[in-house]
Amino acid sequence: MYIAFLGPRGSFTYQVAQQAFPTAKLVPYDTITEVMKAVEEQAVDYSVIPVENSIEGSVHETVDYLFHQADLRAVAEVIQPIFQQLMATDPSTDIQVIYSHPQALAQAKKYIDVHYPQARLEATASTAYAARFVASHPKQLFAAIAPQAAAKEYGLTIVARDIQEMAQNFTRFWVLGSGAVTLPLVQTGRKCSLALTLPENLPGALYKAMSVFAWRGIDLTKIESRPLKTALGEYFFILDVANTQAVLLDYALKELTSLGISYKILGDYFIYQAQ
């Protein structure tokens, strides 16, 4: 089995792919779109992509491609807690430069200011790229902020653990593919993700769309608007729906259609918790 993920090796997406598919061949791609195209073109069996972070919000590249261009569905969701580690080739190094993704640098700023106030901060494309760069310069006084998987992947030593300021930092990852999949992780629930397009001539269209779920007691866990890319002020809406009663959800979707509200199912999936 082949699994595409957002590379390089050692990224959080790699960490999730390892846990979700421990015996599969993991194939890195440089961009989220390339990861999605890999499974779309059947170059791999499944793809693992980030879809939302609890601090930074939705990954727009993911949701826009799935809505506008792809005929793909999420078949599983993995929730990954985000812990950032400071790592170097030598733990006794007098660190002068710290490399990482801008978000990771920002999340660890308080720790850096206290312990390495003299260090220069350098932004990289990803945390995994930072770890790989530091590992390739073993004689320099460099360190990286990256996932634990990156330290193992590139032979770095963790100098300080869990240095992020916000403890409640999680990222949702979707597994995309054409067939159902069961993952060796703890299952915590089931959801359905939809993209709604509202008719122009239906007053209160968004209210009516929400009421389809509300009066049936179907819980909406997320609603977000994204530009429809047709004209200024036109949007589609992303909904995450708790799918605890499939029959009720099916009736709700039929009522949407009867109201003239178009929808696209982005995924119907079980939710798993990663370590």
Side-chain angles (χ1 to χ4, degrees):
M1 182 181 292
Y2 291 85
I3 309 298
F5 71 95
L6 180 62
R9 299 175 73 87
S11 65
F12 280 111
T13 317
Y14 173 72
Q15 190 167 298
V16 169
Q18 273 189 319
Q19 295 180 69
F21 301 96
T23 62
K25 170 71 173 178
L26 305 184
V27 185
Y29 288 84
D30 290 335
T31 68
I32 291 173
T33 298
E34 288 175 334
V35 176
M36 291 187 284
K37 283 184 176 180
V39 71
E40 195 174 22
E41 296 169 356
Q42 299 183 346
V44 297
D45 298 286
Y46 295 98
S47 289
V48 179
I49 52 165
V51 67
E52 184 181 21
N53 177 260
S54 58
I55 296 173
E56 302 297 329
S58 293
V59 180
H60 294 153
E61 184 179 354
T62 297
V63 295
D64 285 356
Y65 185 83
L66 289 176
F67 176 73
H68 290 287
Q69 296 176 260
D71 185 21
L72 290 172
R73 288 191 181 186
V75 295
E77 176 174 291
V78 181
I79 308 296
Q80 172 69 57
I82 304 300
F83 297 111
Q84 303 287 7
Q85 323 297 332
L86 183 69
M87 55 192 70
T89 54
D90 183 349
S92 63
T93 295
D94 180 21
I95 297 170
Q96 297 299 312
V97 187
I98 299 175
Y99 294 86
S100 196
H101 187 275
Q103 291 177 9
L105 291 173
Q107 291 169 11
K109 188 176 186 304
K110 186 179 292 185
Y111 178 89
I112 295 169
D113 287 346
V114 172
H115 297 276
Y116 300 97
Q118 81 291 346
R120 187 174 84 251
L121 306 184
E122 292 287 346
T124 58
S126 75
T127 53
Y129 278 115
R132 188 170 69 179
F133 179 81
V134 169
S136 67
H137 295 78
K139 296 183 179 180
Q140 300 296 324
L141 302 179
F142 294 164
I145 299 172
Q148 183 170 319
K152 182 178 180 180
E153 182 68 27
Y154 300 111
L156 298 175
T157 300
I158 294 179
V159 178
R161 294 184 179 274
D162 302 345
I163 62 173
Q164 70 284 341
E165 291 181 32
M166 295 186 178
Q168 297 300 312
N169 187 359
F170 298 87
T171 297
R172 298 169 59 201
F173 291 86
W174 277 354
V175 177
L176 304 178
S178 59
V181 63
T182 301
L183 306 182
L185 300 169
V186 177
Q187 195 179 107
T188 61
R190 185 174 181 178
K191 281 194 298 190
C192 181
S193 293
L194 308 168
L196 302 187
T197 306
L198 306 179
E200 295 181 5
N201 59 347
L202 180 64
L206 182 57
Y207 169 79
K208 290 176 180 177
M210 299 302 97
S211 66
V212 162
F213 302 99
W215 76 263
R216 289 184 171 88
I218 300 174
D219 186 25
L220 298 183
T221 61
K222 173 182 176 177
I223 177 170
E224 178 183 357
S225 63
R226 289 291 300 148
L228 200 50
K229 300 183 179 181
T230 52
L232 187 64
E234 295 185 352
Y235 302 91
F236 69 95
F237 295 85
I238 304 163
L239 272 63
D240 285 348
V241 181
N243 189 6
T244 56
Q245 298 185 64
V247 173
L248 283 182
L249 179 58
D250 186 54
Y251 284 135
L253 297 181
K254 288 177 179 176
E255 187 175 350
L256 285 177
T257 301
S258 70
L259 291 170
I261 298 171
S262 302
Y263 66 88
K264 181 178 183 179
I265 298 177
L266 302 181
D268 186 1
Y269 48 84
F270 287 104
I271 308 163
Y272 296 86
Q273 182 65 52
Q275 300 298 317

